[in-house]
Structure formats: structure tokens, C-alpha cells
Amino acid sequence: MVGGSYDWLRYVRSLHSTRRLLHNLRRDADVAGGDACGTLLCDITGITITILQLGQVIPQHYEMWADQSTVGVSAFLLLFGSLYTYLAFLDTIITDTIFLQCHDGAYRCFLTLQPFIQMAGSALLTIGLWYWYLKFHRAPAAEAEDFPDADQELADDAARLEGNWLYDGFGETHSGWRFFWVFVALSVVSTGILVVSVVAFGATAGVSQQIAESYGLLSAALNAVMWLPQIYTTYTFGHRGALSKEWVFFSVVMDVVYSVYLALMGLHFSVWANNIPDGVQTAVLLAMIIVYDRRDAEHHAQQLQQHQHAPPSPKLTSPSRSPLLLNSIDHNSNNNDSVA
């Protein structure tokens, strides 16, 4: 810090952890003889951000597990998201080792450990999405076969993902494993570089700190673009698919809460500016999901009404799972129209 002004690059690197930023502000305020925020306010904010940051990913786990499908979920979303959270975690454990040295009691230490909990938990939950993705991901043509025969329009929509390289990459293999191995390779390389630096120079050495800070900047960049492939994929598909609306919704909430809080604290625009592209992307994606879900609900309601007035036909029997996440409607249709 020079002349009491904030180094904005340092804070952009720290934006993935509210608690870390508040700790920096509080430390700087102590140097200046002031107080950046009240202790209770900082505590509440840290816990709130932890709940939002960890809780927002859980619905996506449930969505993929319940539907046994990843249709409509971009592989780049998982690649960027898992890399972003893992690099942020590496940055945290090197640049903020002070948070791991607490002797102020269980409650205060728990609050002090919020950055570590946020980054470690977020990385674990986001990387864990690969399990469901690799387990259930299939080619768009195979996904289209699971639509009811009466929903030829929906099958055609799924087939459109075939030419969308932002969905699951180039080529015709449609393998999610190649994205996973890219993540593993980049994670191993980044971890190896950091470990070598720490062993050779120490965790607090300038070289190790600079490497960790570069990881923080890279994670912020990935966070700023991670939703763009998903927006295009959802637009191409025309449906939400297996993407969790709750995940997107809570991402919007977190960006808004975080940015408003920092702005009310009087921090410069550059401190919370990188929340804006992430918030705009998730807001656009949420609006698309709401529109597509409403249209799909009306479409299925019309189909159900037609099935109720039509002779029973085996062709109208829906599959056991619905890639459009409207299982309840499909099951009602099955109960009314299926034949032995």
C-alpha cells in the first residue's frame, strides 16, 4: 500500500473471498488508526458468503443425480468452474497462512477460517460435479432418443447440440473425459509449480507469493467468463436441461449481495468490478431459464391434455426420466396413457 490507497490488483485477486478482503481492510484500517467495519457485520457477512458460496453448487449435484443426465450442461462450465475454484484455493493457502494460525477461541477461529472453508469447500463441491458429468454424459443424439416419441421437436432441439463445440468440445466423440483430463493436467502442473517453489524458497518467500497471486488473478479471469459457454449452450438447446436453476439463482444473489455490500462500505469500483460480468452473465442465464421453463411447462401441459383425449398408445409413454426436468408431468402422462 502506498499513501493509504488500495492496490486494486491485489483486491481483484482477493474478490473470491469476502472474508479475506475484509481482513485486509481491517488490517489497513488499523494501520491508519481507524476501523473498516464492525466486527459483528464482518462476521455475519463472512458466514453469509460461506453459506451462499457452498450452498449454490449443491442443487446442481442433486439435479444431475435425480435426472441421471447432463444434457444441456456445458463441459466448459465445469472446466472453468473447477479450475477457478481450485486455483483460488491454492492462492488462499499460500497468501493467507495467517488464517491457519488462530489462538482466539473456537468461535473466533471458526470465523477467521471462513476464507479457507469457502475456498476448500467450493473447490471440493465444484470438482465433485465431474463425477456426475462423467457418469451420465452422452452424445446429443443419444440424449435425444430419451425424449418421448411425441416430442420430436424436443428431440430435434437436443440434436442441435451436436454442432455446438461449446457444449462438449470439437469432434464427434462427445467424451467428457477429455475435459476432465485437461482439468487434472492443469491442476497437477499448477500444484507442482507451487510445491516446488514452497519447498525451495518457503511459503512466505516472494517467489511463492507471486505464483500464488498469479493463480488468484487467473481464477478471477476464469470466474469472469465461466458462464459464457453455458449461455450459448442453453440458447442453442432452447431448454434448461440438467442445469440447476437454483445454482444460477444463488450465483446471482451472491454477486449482488457481495457487490452491494462492498459498495456500501465505500470501496472503490475497481475492488468489486469483476463481480459485474459474472453477475450479468448469471442474470441473463437465469432469465433464459425462466422463459424456457415456462414454455416447456406449457408445452407439456398441452401434450398432457391431448393425451387425455386421445386413445391410449404405447408411443406416448415417456421414458423413466425426462431431460427437461419435468418428470412429474411425464409421470402423470404415463399413468393416464400407458398400456400393458
Side-chain angles (χ1 to χ4, degrees), residues 94 194-211:
I94 296 298
L194 195 56
V195 169
V196 169
S197 177
V198 170
V199 172
F201 305 103
T204 59
V207 175
S208 300
Q209 293 291 315
Q210 289 177 1
I211 292 175

